[in-house]
């Protein structure tokens, strides 16, 4: 199932002006006839893994031989031979383009023999259906992957049988991915990357991984260099479907020395395991189905566990981030302190540039709402390159809109208009429909004290 914890670029509802009608002029400037075309990312720029081979081996085993629920898997499972992919249902316009880019990366970076086919009998079937259909089958999922079936109607019949039990799969031969056909282009692409990676490789997620889609914090949604390394290991000739954990572990040192010689000379970090109690607290705090008070209590529990564990890494940072998100409506000063603490701990952890960009969007929003135009401009501008490098159009357009409002606050209206116009092409990819883009325009503009009393 796709991650349900979504650190989306949400602004400060507690700082919203009382008279938002003034902000409508931002959206009114861009009707259907003047809205620029959607922008898409061109050449991927993944960073090479920076972990030691001993750390990668440990991560590989924990990702491979356990489910997200904590249930252990007895066998190493993968496809044997070329992998065919077929698209069916009602795929949105951008799906084919994003899928072709992803398959090209999988071939070039992970060395996979994977290709599209028009044949209905494929190893992996990607079925695009409505979000309502997905929720009828898995209420908390945006998208999901299932073994041994090819369409959603099969899943309804097989879901409570051993047929869809990953623990019984030794060799993967046929499975289905269900994506939303009516979501924003970026959400569809994010689902595609995460679910295809799971269809091919690990079934688990680890919060200790800062630079991976195999992490329920949902910060990375496009496959990273680390993820491609994991998939390259998955399909190395030294391994085969049906191996046990000990058999795979025995082959990993030589395999990693061949595939990643640079990792031989790096010192291991030895990041500790993440206790289940912290995972459950974070899921309660940021997942669906609980009220505000219970969410805050869960976030406080997660932060206390992080302190007890003595963490100084991205998990401590994420605990503060969750607290910041959940205290915004009650005390924006306390929330801001949590975001500052989150940025501090992210700064101590390698490979967290994208995490810091998310936090910067929150801190820039505070600076803007408080009339600190220069601070807002610096915070928003500093992370634009990061959002673009990690192909996050929603975050990129949000930072650009914050930058535009900061320029407006500083009396640089012409520059503001140029930046705002440039952001809209990314917003159309990140947020989808024109009404959603207009809503984001109004949301960010409402933070600017020039547009009304805060």
């Amino acid at each position: 199932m796709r991650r349900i914890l979504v650190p989306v670029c949400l602004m400060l509802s507690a700082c919203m002006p009382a008279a938002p009608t003034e902000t409508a002029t931002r959206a009114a400037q861009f009707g259907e006839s003047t809205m620029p075309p959607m922008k898409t990312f061109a050449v991927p720029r993944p960073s090479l893994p920076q972990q030691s081979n001993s750390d990668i081996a440990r991560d590989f085993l924990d990702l491979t031989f356990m489910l997200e629920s904590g249930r252990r898997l007895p066998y190493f499972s993968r496809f044997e031979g070329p992998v065919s992919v077929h698209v069916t249902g009602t795929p949105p316009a951008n799906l084919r383009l994003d899928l072709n880019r992803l398959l090209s990366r999988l071939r070039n970076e992970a060395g996979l023999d994977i290709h599209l086919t028009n044949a209905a009998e494929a190893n992996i079937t990607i079925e695009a259906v409505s979000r309502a259909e997905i929720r009828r089958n898995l209420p908390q999922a945006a998208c999901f992957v299932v073994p041994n079936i090819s369409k959603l109607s099969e899943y309804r019949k097989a879901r409570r049988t051993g047929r869809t039990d990953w623990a019984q799969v030794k060799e993967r031969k046929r499975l289905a991915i269900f994506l939303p056909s009516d979501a924003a282009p970026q959400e569809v692409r994010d689902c595609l990357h995460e679910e295809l990676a799971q269809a091919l490789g690990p079934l688990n997620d680890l919060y200790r991984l800062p630079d991976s889609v195999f992490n329920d914090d949902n910060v990375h949604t496009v496959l990273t260099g680390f993820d491609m390394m994991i998939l390259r290991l998955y399909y190395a000739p030294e391994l085969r479907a049906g191996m046990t954990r000990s058999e795979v572990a025995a082959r990993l040192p030589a395999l990693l020395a061949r595939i990643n010689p640079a990792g031989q000379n790096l010192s291991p970090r030895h990041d500790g395991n993440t206790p289940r109690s912290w995972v459950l607290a974070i899921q309660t705090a940021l997942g669906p189905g609980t009220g505000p008070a219970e969410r805050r209590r869960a976030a406080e529990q997660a932060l206390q566990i992080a302190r007890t564990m003595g963490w100084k890494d991205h998990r401590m940072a994420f605990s503060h981030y969750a607290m910041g998100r959940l205290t915004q409506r009650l005390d924006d000063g306390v929330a801001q302190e949590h975001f500052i603490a989150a940025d501090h701990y992210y700064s101590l952890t390698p490979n967290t540039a994208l995490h810091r960009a998310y936090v910067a969007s929150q801190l820039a929003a505070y600076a803007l709402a408080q009339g600190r135009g220069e601070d807002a401009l610096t915070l928003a501008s500093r992370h634009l390159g990061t959002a673009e490098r990690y192909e996050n159009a929603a975050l990129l357009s949000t930072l650009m809109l914050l930058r535009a409002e900061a320029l407006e606050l500083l009396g640089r209206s012409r520059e503001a208009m140029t930046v705002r116009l440039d952001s809209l092409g990314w917003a159309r990819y990140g947020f989808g429909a024109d009404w959603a883009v207009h809503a984001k325009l109004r949301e960010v503009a409402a933070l600017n004290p020039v547009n009304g009393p805060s």
Side-chain angles (χ1 to χ4, degrees):
M1 186 178 75
R2 183 175 182 262
R3 290 77 173 134
I4 58 175
L5 308 179
V6 188
V8 185
C9 319
L10 297 177
M11 295 300 106
L12 309 173
S13 56
C15 294
M16 285 296 215
T21 54
E22 295 293 327
T23 68
T25 56
R26 294 282 190 270
Q29 291 172 331
F30 305 104
E32 289 187 11
S33 61
T34 58
M35 188 75 76
M38 180 187 298
K39 293 183 180 182
T40 56
F41 297 98
V43 181
R45 293 184 289 167
S47 300
L48 293 175
Q50 299 177 24
Q51 294 91 329
S52 72
N53 280 350
S54 61
D55 281 340
I56 294 175
R58 175 195 173 205
D59 294 337
F60 184 87
L61 292 171
D62 287 349
L63 284 169
T64 302
F65 287 95
M66 190 172 292
L67 295 173
E68 291 181 55
S69 64
R71 183 184 177 193
R72 293 191 177 276
L73 294 171
Y75 307 110
F76 173 69
S77 70
R78 73 176 188 187
F79 291 100
E80 296 291 348
V83 180
S84 57
V85 180
H86 177 64
V87 179
T88 186
T90 54
N94 274 79
L95 176 59
R96 184 75 62 164
L97 175 64
D98 285 329
L99 177 57
N100 281 330
R101 290 186 73 238
L102 176 55
L103 294 181
S104 178
R105 286 193 62 197
L106 289 169
R107 289 190 290 266
N108 296 331
E109 298 175 42
L112 271 64
D113 186 358
I114 187 168
H115 61 279
L116 272 174
T117 180
N118 291 324
E121 293 298 320
N123 298 118
I124 299 175
T125 300
I126 299 174
E127 185 175 7
V129 298
S130 69
R131 282 178 288 192
E133 276 292 296
I134 289 175
R135 287 169 185 158
R136 269 195 288 272
N137 288 275
L138 278 180
Q140 295 181 342
C143 42
F144 62 103
V145 57
V146 183
N148 298 320
I149 65 171
S150 294
K151 49 190 175 181
L152 197 57
S153 58
E154 286 184 85
Y155 174 66
R156 298 188 189 104
K157 299 173 184 176
R159 62 184 301 178
R160 302 194 187 283
T161 69
R163 185 177 169 193
T164 58
D165 183 0
W166 283 105
Q168 298 185 32
V169 176
K170 287 188 178 181
E171 181 181 345
R172 304 181 195 185
K173 296 181 178 180
R174 184 169 66 107
L175 53 81
I177 295 171
F178 304 110
L179 304 181
S181 59
D182 49 356
Q186 179 167 314
E187 182 178 346
V188 177
R189 182 211 61 189
D190 294 353
C191 276
L192 180 64
H193 276 245
E194 295 181 15
E195 301 307 333
L196 189 55
Q198 190 175 57
L200 294 164
L203 302 172
N204 192 18
D205 290 307
L206 298 172
Y207 273 103
R208 70 172 182 258
L209 302 178
D211 186 28
S212 175
V213 301
F214 301 118
N215 185 326
D216 271 332
D217 65 9
N218 203 39
V219 172
H220 286 281
T221 52
V222 171
L223 291 177
T224 68
F226 173 86
D227 299 328
M228 289 296 181
M229 170 74 71
I230 293 296
L231 291 173
R232 181 175 287 276
L233 290 171
Y234 240 82
Y235 287 86
E238 290 91 333
L239 304 181
R240 65 179 183 275
M243 281 183 165
T244 63
R245 182 183 177 110
S246 60
E247 289 173 330
V248 172
R251 288 162 175 76
L252 281 178
L255 176 53
L256 277 162
R258 175 176 68 80
I259 288 180
N260 189 41
Q264 291 291 95
N265 301 319
L266 297 177
S267 299
R269 288 178 54 87
H270 297 301
D271 290 331
N273 290 330
T274 307
R276 190 69 184 165
S277 57
W278 185 87
V279 173
L280 294 175
I282 285 290
Q283 289 176 344
T284 302
L286 298 180
T290 53
E294 186 179 355
R295 288 176 186 272
R296 288 192 296 273
R297 283 194 296 271
E300 290 168 357
Q301 181 186 5
L303 182 56
Q304 184 56 49
I305 293 170
R307 288 169 173 159
T308 301
M309 296 295 296
W311 288 337
K312 304 293 183 183
D313 61 11
H314 56 288
R315 291 170 292 184
M316 174 63 86
F318 196 57
S319 302
H320 279 289
Y321 184 86
M323 282 296 298
R325 285 284 304 276
L326 294 171
T327 55
Q328 283 179 322
R329 290 180 180 271
L330 297 178
D331 191 326
D332 57 356
V334 171
Q336 190 172 4
E337 290 175 2
H338 281 295
F339 288 128
I340 291 171
D343 184 67
H344 167 70
Y345 285 108
Y346 280 135
S347 73
L348 302 178
T349 309
N351 304 315
T352 57
L354 184 57
H355 303 69
R356 297 189 73 185
Y358 271 114
V359 177
S361 70
Q362 299 285 349
L363 294 175
Y366 275 111
L368 181 62
Q370 294 162 2
R372 297 183 286 116
E374 288 289 353
D375 290 342
L377 182 61
T378 299
L379 283 162
S381 301
R382 183 183 298 158
H383 298 275
L384 292 172
T386 296
E388 184 173 4
R389 178 157 57 91
Y390 287 99
E391 301 188 20
N392 194 319
L395 177 60
L396 177 58
S397 61
T398 299
L399 289 169
M400 293 176 77
L401 288 172
L402 286 163
R403 185 170 186 262
E405 290 302 326
L407 289 167
E408 202 81 54
L409 186 60
L410 295 170
R412 297 157 63 180
S413 297
R414 181 170 295 182
E415 290 178 69
M417 184 62 177
T418 300
V419 173
R420 191 176 295 115
L421 179 63
D422 193 33
S423 75
L424 297 182
W426 295 117
R428 297 190 76 180
Y429 185 84
F431 299 108
D434 286 355
W435 66 263
V437 175
H438 287 152
K440 181 55 64 174
L441 276 165
R442 289 191 295 268
E443 184 181 19
V444 178
L447 293 165
N448 193 334
V450 169
N451 297 325
S454 187

